[in-house]
C-alpha cells in the first residue's frame, strides 16, 4: 500500500503568517488613528461548504488583523471574493460581481479588491484577471490560502499587484490559523481536503489538489472547541469523506472517526458531506446507526441512473450498486433522510439514459435533490466528448426531472403530519404564525411557532401542516 502522510505546513511557516497578522494589526491601529474608525472588510463566497469554511478562515485572519466585517461593498477597505469553478454559472457570477467593482476602485483607489478560491486556481484565470480586471490587485489560489496574511501585507506595503497561485497540488494542511465562524448553532468542520476521483466532468480535483486528511486528534480537538462554544449542529466536510484516512499512517477510516467523535460529550448533532457511492460501505451505515449523535441523514450523489453514463463519468459504481446501498442504509435506519446530486445532459446522454435517471429518482424516493445541467469545464476529459443533444432538449429533461422529484417529495412530506420530532431552531422565518426556522435531525426545513429566544435550542415539536418545501410545527408541551 502506498501510504504517504500528508505534507503539513510547518509550525515555523504558520508562525511567519501569525507575525504578518501582527504587522497588519499595527497598520490597522494607525488606520484607526487617522480615520477615527477601524478598517472594514467585505467577503463574499461562491460555491460549496468547503469554500464557506475557507472564507471563515479568511474572516478569522482579517479579524485578528484588526478589521471589522461589513456587508456592504461600498464602505469596505478590503474586499475578498472566494470563487468557485464547478459550473460556468458560478464563474460568471463571480466575474460579474468583480466587473461591477471597477467604479468603486475609481472612486476610492485605495480600496483593495482580492480574489481567491477554486476559480483562480485554474491555469488560465490569473492571466485573464491580469488583463481584463485591473481593479483586482490581490489574487491567491486554494493551495496558498494559508499565506493570505503575507499577501495582504505585501499589498498594504505598496506592491502593485500580488498574484500567487503557487503551492503543491499534492496539497498541504495548515493547522493553527484563526477562524471566525458564522453565528448560530451550525458549524462546518473540514476533515479532509482535495479529491482524487477525477470524475470526467469535474474541475474540483484540478483546483483543490490531492486528497489529504487532517489527523483525527486535530479534528477531535476542533470539535470539542466547537461544542464548548455552543455549536450544536456540526457538519464534517470533505469532497469524499468515505475515503478519509487513506493517506494517514494510522489505520483509521471514516467510520472510526465518526465513532471517536460521537464520544465527545455534549448535546450536538454530527452530519457529514459528501459521501461517494463507490466508497460508502456497510460499515459506514452500521456506524451511523450505532452512533447517537450522528444525524440519520445521507447525501449520496449518484449523478446518473445509466450505467453507460456512470462509466463515462468515471464514477466507479453501477445504478444497481447504488440501489443496494440505499436499501441497506434504510434497513439499518428506517427514518433516514436521503438526498443526492444529479447531472442532466452529460455529453452523449440519450433519452434512454435519462429515463434511467428518472427511474432511479422514482424508485428511491429522495427527500431532497440537487440537480444540475451539465456545464463544460475546460481541462476536464468530458470537455472533449461529443455533445450532440440540444440545449432545449437538456432543459426539457431538467424540467421533467424536477417534476418527478416534486411528485415524490410531496407524499414524503405529508407523511410527517402529526409526528413529533426533535428539531434544532436556527433562525427566523417570514411566516407570522410560525416565525422560527428549524431543521429536523434529517435536515428537513421546519417553520416553527415560538419566541426568538428559542434560537439555538433543540425542541420537541409536533408537525401541524406540511407543504412541498416545509413542515410547520409547534412545540410539544411536556409539562402536562
Ligand atoms: N465531491 C462531491 C461533489 C462536489 S461538486 C461528490 O462527488 O459528490 C457538487 C456537485 O456539482 C456534483 O455532485 C455534481 O452533481 C455537480 N457538478 C460537478 N461538476 C459539474 C459540471 N461540470 N456540470 C454540472 N454539474 C457539475
Ligand atoms: Fe468532483 Fe467527483 Fe471529486 Fe466529487 S468525487 S469532487 S464530483 S471529481
Ligand atoms: Fe466550487 Fe471549489 Fe466547492 S469548485 S463546488 S468551491 S470545491
Amino acid at each position: 500500500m502506498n501510504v504517504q502522510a500528508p505534507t503539513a505546513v510547518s509550525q515555523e511557516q504558520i508562525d511567519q503568517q501569525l507575525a504578518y497578522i501582527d504587522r497588519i494589526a499595527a497598520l490597522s491601529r494607525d488606520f484607526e488613528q487617522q480615520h477615527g474608525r477601524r478598517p472594514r472588510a467585505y467577503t463574499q463566497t461562491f460555491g460549496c461548504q468547503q469554500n464557506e469554511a475557507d472564507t471563515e478562515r479568511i474572516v478569522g485572519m482579517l479579524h485578528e488583523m484588526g478589521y471589522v466585517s461589513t456587508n456592504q461593498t461600498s464602505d469596505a477597505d478590503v474586499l475578498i471574493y472566494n470563487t468557485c469553478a464547478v459550473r460556468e454559472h458560478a464563474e460568471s457570477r463571480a466575474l460579474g460581481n468583480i466587473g461591477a467593482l471597477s467604479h468603486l476602485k475609481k472612486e476610492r483607489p485605495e480600496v483593495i479588491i482580492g480574489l481567491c478560491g477554486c476559480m483562480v486556481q485554474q491555469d488560465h484565470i490569473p492571466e485573464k484577471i491580469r488583463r481584463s480586471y485591473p481593479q483586482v490587485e490581490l489574487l491567491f489560489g486554494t493551495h496558498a490560502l494559508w499565506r493570505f496574511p503575507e499577501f495582504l501585507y505585501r499589498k498594504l506595503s505598496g506592491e502593485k499587484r500580488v498574484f500567487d497561485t503557487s503551492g503543491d497540488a499534492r496539497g498541504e494542511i495548515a493547522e493553527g490559523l484563526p477562524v471566525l465562524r458564522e453565528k448560530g448553532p451550525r458549524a462546518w468542520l473540514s476533515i479532509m481536503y482535495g479529491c482524487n476521483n477525477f470524475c470526467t466532468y469535474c474541475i474540483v480535483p484540478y483546483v483543490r489538489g490531492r486528497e489529504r486528511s487532517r489527523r483525527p486528534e486535530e479534528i477531535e480537538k476542533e470539535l470539542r472547541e466547537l461544542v464548548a462554544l455552543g455549536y450544536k449542529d456540526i457538519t464534517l466536510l470533505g469532497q469524499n469523506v468515505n475515503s478519509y484516512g487513506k493517506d494517514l499512517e494510522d489505520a483509521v477510516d471514516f467510520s472510526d472517526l465518526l465513532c471517536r467523535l460521537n464520544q465527545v460529550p455534549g448535546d450536538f448533532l454530527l452530519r457529514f458531506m459528501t459521501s461517494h457511492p463507490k466508497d460508502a460501505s456497510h460499515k459506514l451505515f452500521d456506524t451511523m446507526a450505532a452512533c447517537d449523535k450522528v444525524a440519520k441523514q445521507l447525501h449520496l450523489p449518484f449523478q446518473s441512473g445509466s450505467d453507460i453514463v456512470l462509466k463515462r463519468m468515471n464514477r466507479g459504481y453501477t445504478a444497481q450498486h447504488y440501489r443496494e446501498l440505499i436499501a441497506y442504509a434504510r434497513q439499518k435506519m428506517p427514518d433516514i433522510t436521503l438526498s443526492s446530486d444529479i447531472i442532466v445532459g452529460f455529453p452523449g446522454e440519450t433519452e434512454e439514459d435519462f429515463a434511467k435517471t428518472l427511474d432511479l429518482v422514482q424508485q428511491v424516493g429522495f427527500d431532497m435533490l440537487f440537480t444540475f445541467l451539465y456545464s463544460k469545464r475546460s481541462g476536464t476529459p468530458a470537455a472533449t466528448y461529443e455533445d450532440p443533444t440540444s440545449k432545449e432538449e437538456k432543459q426539457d429533461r431538467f424540467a421533467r426531472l424536477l417534476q418527478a422529484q416534486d411528485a415524490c417529495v410531496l407524499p414524503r412530506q405529508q407523511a410527517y403530519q402529526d409526528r413529533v420530532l426533535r428539531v434544532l431552531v436556527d433562525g427566523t422565518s417570514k411566516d407570522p404564525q410560525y416565525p422560527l426556522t428549524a431543521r429536523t435531525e434529517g435536515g428537513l426545513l421546519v417553520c416553527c411557532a415560538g419566541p426568538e429566544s428559542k434560537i439555538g435550542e433543540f425542541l420537541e415539536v409536533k408537525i401541524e401542516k406540511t407543504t412541498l418545501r416545509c413542515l410547520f410545527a409547534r412545540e410539544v408541551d411536556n409539562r402536562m
Side-chain angles (χ1 to χ4, degrees):
M1 206 167 48
N2 178 19
V3 178
Q4 189 192 10
T7 342
V9 175
S10 71
Q11 191 56 48
E12 195 187 341
Q13 289 170 304
I14 296 290
D15 289 345
Q16 271 173 9
Q17 295 305 317
L18 296 174
Y20 280 115
I21 290 180
D22 287 344
R23 285 192 217 172
I24 298 176
L27 296 178
S28 295
R29 285 192 290 275
D30 294 346
F31 181 100
E32 192 174 0
Q33 293 229 307
Q34 263 181 34
H35 297 84
R37 63 165 179 89
R38 305 222 332 241
R40 302 184 192 112
Y42 171 90
T43 54
Q44 188 172 339
T45 314
F46 301 86
C48 64
Q49 293 81 2
Q50 198 81 66
N51 249 20
E52 286 178 24
D54 283 350
T55 300
E56 291 177 342
R57 303 216 159 257
I58 293 170
V59 174
M61 293 190 247
L62 283 164
H63 189 79
E64 299 283 311
M65 294 166 185
Y67 283 79
V68 289
S69 294
T70 170
N71 51 19
Q72 278 175 355
T73 55
S74 56
D75 69 6
D77 301 294
V78 169
L79 299 92
I80 306 284
Y81 289 79
N82 193 3
T83 61
C84 169
V86 80
R87 282 170 290 276
E88 194 182 343
H89 180 64
E91 291 198 359
S92 37
R93 269 181 62 219
L95 291 172
N97 272 273
I98 296 147
L101 292 175
S102 55
H103 73 279
L104 181 75
K105 184 72 183 164
K106 282 202 187 92
E107 275 165 31
R108 293 171 48 214
E110 71 284 3
V111 163
I112 297 175
I113 299 171
L115 273 188
C116 63
C118 296
M119 180 180 83
V120 308
Q121 193 66 57
Q122 298 173 96
D123 291 344
H124 64 287
I125 294 289
E127 196 41 44
K128 175 173 173 170
I129 302 292
R130 224 178 252 287
R131 252 187 295 117
S132 310
Y133 296 85
Q135 64 271 40
V136 176
E137 292 173 341
L138 181 65
L139 178 148
F140 51 98
T142 55
H143 304 316
L145 177 119
W146 61 274
R147 291 171 57 207
F148 168 59
E150 170 192 341
F151 301 143
L152 182 60
Y153 183 77
R154 278 167 44 195
K155 179 60 213 150
L156 288 166
S157 310
E159 216 173 296
K160 180 74 190 110
R161 285 184 122 179
V162 181
F163 276 39
D164 195 323
T165 48
S166 67
D168 194 332
R170 275 176 306 171
E172 292 171 311
I173 293 192
E175 300 284 3
L177 285 167
V179 53
L180 189 67
R181 290 183 160 87
E182 296 261 329
K183 292 211 172 63
R186 264 169 227 289
W188 311 119
L189 174 46
S190 297
I191 63 165
M192 59 197 295
Y193 307 97
C195 180
N196 286 355
N197 290 311
F198 290 96
C199 302
T200 55
Y201 50 81
C202 186
I203 197 75
V204 172
Y206 302 88
V207 293
R208 285 274 175 182
R210 297 293 61 74
E211 230 163 52
R212 53 219 187 265
S213 308
R214 292 178 70 194
R215 308 195 68 83
E217 53 275 20
E218 293 283 354
I219 299 169
E220 184 186 324
K221 188 171 135 227
E222 194 167 349
L223 176 64
R224 284 178 184 274
E225 287 164 7
L226 290 174
V227 173
L229 285 167
Y231 289 99
K232 294 203 166 85
D233 187 323
I234 294 146
T235 304
L236 309 177
L237 294 181
Q239 292 300 343
N240 174 12
V241 293
N242 305 126
S243 56
Y244 174 81
K246 284 186 183 167
D247 56 331
L248 292 176
E249 277 154 7
D250 343 0
V252 51
D253 66 13
F254 182 58
S255 302
D256 303 332
L257 179 72
L258 276 182
C259 285
R260 176 175 180 152
L261 300 180
N262 191 60
Q263 284 162 22
V264 169
D267 190 14
F268 62 91
L269 278 175
L270 283 172
R271 307 180 194 277
F272 55 87
M273 67 187 308
T274 298
S275 291
H276 193 305
K278 104 182 139 58
D279 301 309
S281 61
H282 287 194
K283 181 179 172 192
L284 170 68
F285 300 138
D286 295 343
T287 307
M288 284 176 76
C291 291
D292 59 325
K293 288 173 184 152
V294 176
K296 306 304 176 252
Q297 174 189 16
L298 183 65
H299 180 61
L300 194 64
F302 70 84
Q303 314 296 358
S304 167
S306 155
D307 290 344
I308 300 170
V309 174
L310 285 172
K311 199 161 175 96
R312 291 175 45 247
M313 286 176 164
N314 190 31
R315 287 290 288 180
Y317 54 87
T318 61
Q320 187 52 29
H321 178 70
Y322 188 84
R323 282 190 189 88
E324 282 162 16
L325 285 175
I326 297 292
Y328 188 83
R330 279 218 167 110
Q331 181 201 327
K332 289 281 156 182
M333 296 165 281
D335 245 357
I336 193 166
T337 313
L338 292 171
S339 57
S340 190
D341 293 347
I342 299 175
I343 296 178
V344 174
F346 183 77
E349 179 191 71
T350 63
E351 181 56 32
E352 203 186 337
D353 293 321
F354 176 68
K356 291 185 173 146
T357 297
L358 273 186
D359 278 351
L360 195 54
V361 165
Q362 281 158 344
Q363 282 161 12
V364 171
F366 292 94
D367 298 279
M368 253 173 291
L369 274 189
F370 301 89
T371 43
F372 308 104
L373 267 179
Y374 169 73
S375 170
K376 184 172 173 173
R377 305 285 67 210
S378 75
T380 62
T384 64
Y385 296 177
E386 272 190 50
D387 193 1
T389 314
S390 71
K391 205 171 155 199
E392 290 72 30
E393 178 62 37
K394 290 185 180 191
Q395 264 158 352
D396 179 64
R397 286 180 195 164
F398 192 81
R400 282 188 281 151
L401 179 59
L402 293 190
Q403 229 175 15
Q405 171 59 6
D406 284 354
C408 290
V409 170
L410 194 61
R412 296 184 66 76
Q413 290 276 100
Q414 285 166 344
Y416 282 99
Q417 182 69 40
D418 294 332
R419 280 188 61 182
V420 173
L421 302 170
R422 192 166 98 114
V423 300
L424 177 62
V425 182
D426 60 3
T428 54
S429 84
K430 292 199 179 102
D431 187 326
Q433 255 191 300
Y434 300 96
L436 301 175
T437 57
R439 294 274 166 181
T440 66
E441 182 185 323
L444 299 176
L445 176 66
V446 181
C447 285
C448 219
E452 277 189 31
S453 58
K454 299 281 182 184
I455 293 176
E457 283 183 31
F458 284 107
L459 298 183
E460 291 269 308
V461 299
K462 185 171 179 186
I463 307 297
E464 297 185 332
K465 188 171 91 171
T466 68
T467 61
L468 193 58
R469 310 264 173 252
C470 189
L471 306 171
F472 296 84
R474 189 171 302 276
E475 189 172 8
V476 176
D477 194 345
N478 287 322
R479 289 165 301 178
M480 305 209 304

